[in-house]
Amino acid sequence: MEMYDSGVTEPMRTSTRDLDDLRERLSAWLGRRVSRVTRPSANGMSSETLFFTVDGTRCVARLAPTEEAVPIFPSYDLGVQFEVMRLARERAGVLAPKALWFEPSPEPLGSPFFVMEREEGRVPSDVPPYTFEGWLLEAAPADRRLLQDRTVAIAAGLHGAPYTAAELKGLGAAGLRAHVDGQRAYYEWMRGDTRIPLLERAFDWLEAHWPDDPGPNVLTWGDARIGNVMYRDFTPVAVLDWEMAAVGPRELDLAWMIFLHRFFQDLAEVFALPGLPCFMRRDEVCATYRELSGHTPRDMDFHETYAALRHGIVMARVWQRRIHFGEQPMPDDPDDLVLHRALLERMLS
């Protein structure tokens, strides 16, 4: 999961580790010479990302964050992520990066990590947001629609593939109730001694609008959005960031995909920019998904509001990190920890 600051211009601090030390440790772990280790310009907020080359293979390592880095999530099971990526690639044909090695011990690099092959392509930017500038904003409408439809197809393919209960056991309890309960526990961990009334109102709203039938459970990507896809010629070539994968209704992914664009579009409008108002619209996304999967998305008001709540918890934690590192002060009103406060308030009312 990549993030952005309140000025939407600079990436946030994500790591306290020394790159030369990491290169030496990687070389020792592999028993082979590792070329210069670098971080991507937009490093992930949830896990640390490293680029390196070994024996001509371009690789990416994902490391669980250290405690001093003030992690976004309370726990990081990289072994489960590694397995989900493998399943998505082998069972669903989803172009998750090829998983190479997993190291569960923190001894080699200071925390568990896995290594995957590195793909090349373009990713819609978070910093500055793709609704502000960049290749997607400049693309022809037909190309953007092609990208949209092929991204929706990632979710349809993932959701429709067969998996056994044993293979998905590491993702925890299945279903919408378990998912929401998990988010409530995440909120309680994140907030510490600070209540955020807006997020608590959103949890109450969910209970008052609970779906009569949440529908069948499938393997969900979790962080399903275009900012986690690498494209060439508007076609996905790598599907990234699986740390939020879960077993639950299909609408979890669809609503997240729709809402995250709505979030970036709202930011553009705040800055009096046109953005992409005709991109990732709910009716078009749902129609494409129905055509590809045969499943008609349901309860989308509920699921989009839930997506806004989930994103609000993540953003509040991101802001806590910034406060911790002295990059911004604590706001007077804790609801301001939610960057999209005004949008969530509109959705609740």
Side-chain angles (χ1 to χ4, degrees):
M1 170 171 282
E2 311 296 343
M3 285 298 157
Y4 20 77
D5 72 359
S6 56
V8 203
T9 56
E10 299 177 0
M12 298 178 185
R13 181 176 181 177
T14 59
S15 178
T16 58
R17 296 187 244 222
D18 179 75
L19 289 177
D20 288 336
D21 179 62
L22 288 170
R23 179 183 56 78
E24 293 178 3
R25 290 184 175 213
L26 274 170
S27 295
W29 180 72
L30 285 167
R32 287 173 280 177
R33 179 175 174 79
V34 171
S35 299
R36 175 171 167 261
V37 176
T38 62
R39 293 187 180 96
S41 57
N43 204 16
M45 290 296 300
S46 55
S47 302
E48 183 172 1
T49 301
L50 302 174
F51 292 158
F52 64 95
T53 301
V54 57
D55 293 343
T57 299
R58 294 162 59 84
C59 298
V60 180
R62 296 299 298 268
L63 287 71
T66 59
E67 284 301 315
E68 59 265 28
V70 189
I72 296 296
F73 299 117
S75 63
Y76 291 80
D77 194 331
L78 296 187
V80 170
Q81 290 183 45
F82 188 84
E83 181 65 12
V84 167
M85 289 168 55
R86 185 190 65 79
L87 284 172
R89 186 180 181 93
E90 294 179 3
R91 298 288 179 80
V94 171
L95 294 175
K98 185 178 180 181
L100 298 176
W101 308 294
F102 167 60
E103 175 53 71
S105 171
E107 184 174 350
L109 297 187
S111 62
F113 66 96
F114 64 78
V115 179
M116 53 192 171
E117 284 190 354
R118 181 180 174 186
E119 186 56 82
E120 292 296 328
R122 299 191 296 182
V123 178
S125 174
D126 284 351
V127 186
Y130 64 86
T131 51
F132 283 43
E133 62 180 54
W135 61 273
L136 188 61
L137 186 67
E138 297 163 1
D143 288 331
R144 283 198 297 269
R145 181 56 189 264
L146 182 66
L147 180 146
Q148 174 181 305
D149 290 348
R150 288 176 173 172
T151 306
V152 175
I154 295 171
L158 178 70
H159 299 165
Y163 313 96
T164 67
E167 289 170 332
L168 302 181
K169 183 179 179 180
L171 293 172
L176 182 60
R177 172 53 65 189
H179 200 282
V180 173
D181 287 348
Q183 289 298 300
R184 190 180 292 274
Y186 175 33
Y187 164 73
E188 293 294 339
W189 171 84
M190 176 277 298
R191 75 176 184 85
D193 297 328
T194 302
R195 292 182 58 245
I196 304 176
L198 176 59
L199 298 181
E200 295 181 4
R201 282 176 50 210
F203 276 114
D204 292 341
W205 187 98
L206 292 182
E207 297 301 327
H209 296 82
W210 198 265
D212 293 333
D213 178 10
N217 295 320
V218 299
L219 173 60
T220 65
W221 176 6
D223 202 358
R225 64 188 187 94
I226 62 171
N228 285 333
V229 182
M230 192 172 286
Y231 300 91
R232 287 202 298 269
D233 297 326
F234 304 95
T235 298
V237 294
V239 183
L240 313 172
D241 286 5
W242 293 85
E243 66 270 9
M244 293 166 61
V247 179
R250 300 163 183 254
E251 288 79 7
L252 292 173
D253 276 346
L254 291 179
W256 188 258
M257 190 178 296
I258 294 164
F259 173 77
L260 262 293
H261 173 69
R262 184 176 178 182
F263 168 79
F264 283 116
Q265 178 60 26
D266 190 66
L267 280 180
E269 293 172 6
V270 166
F271 284 85
L273 297 171
L276 294 170
C278 296
F279 183 66
M280 282 290 172
R281 292 188 294 196
R282 182 201 290 187
D283 57 343
E284 294 176 347
V285 168
C286 289
T288 299
Y289 186 86
R290 183 171 59 249
E291 292 170 3
L292 293 171
S293 69
H295 173 86
T296 299
R298 57 179 117 181
D299 302 305
M300 290 302 292
D301 284 342
F302 174 93
H303 283 283
E304 280 192 56
T305 303
Y306 182 35
L309 167 58
R310 293 168 58 200
H311 192 53
I313 301 171
V314 171
M315 289 308 305
R317 180 60 175 172
V318 168
W319 253 230
Q320 287 177 339
R321 295 183 80 258
R322 298 219 59 175
I323 294 166
H324 173 83
F325 288 119
E327 296 169 347
Q328 71 178 56
M330 177 70 183
D332 294 331
D333 186 344
D335 282 349
D336 286 336
L337 291 168
V338 181
L339 181 58
H340 55 288
R341 171 180 180 170
L343 175 56
L344 180 53
E345 287 174 336
R346 291 198 303 272
M347 296 175 78
L348 294 178
S349 63

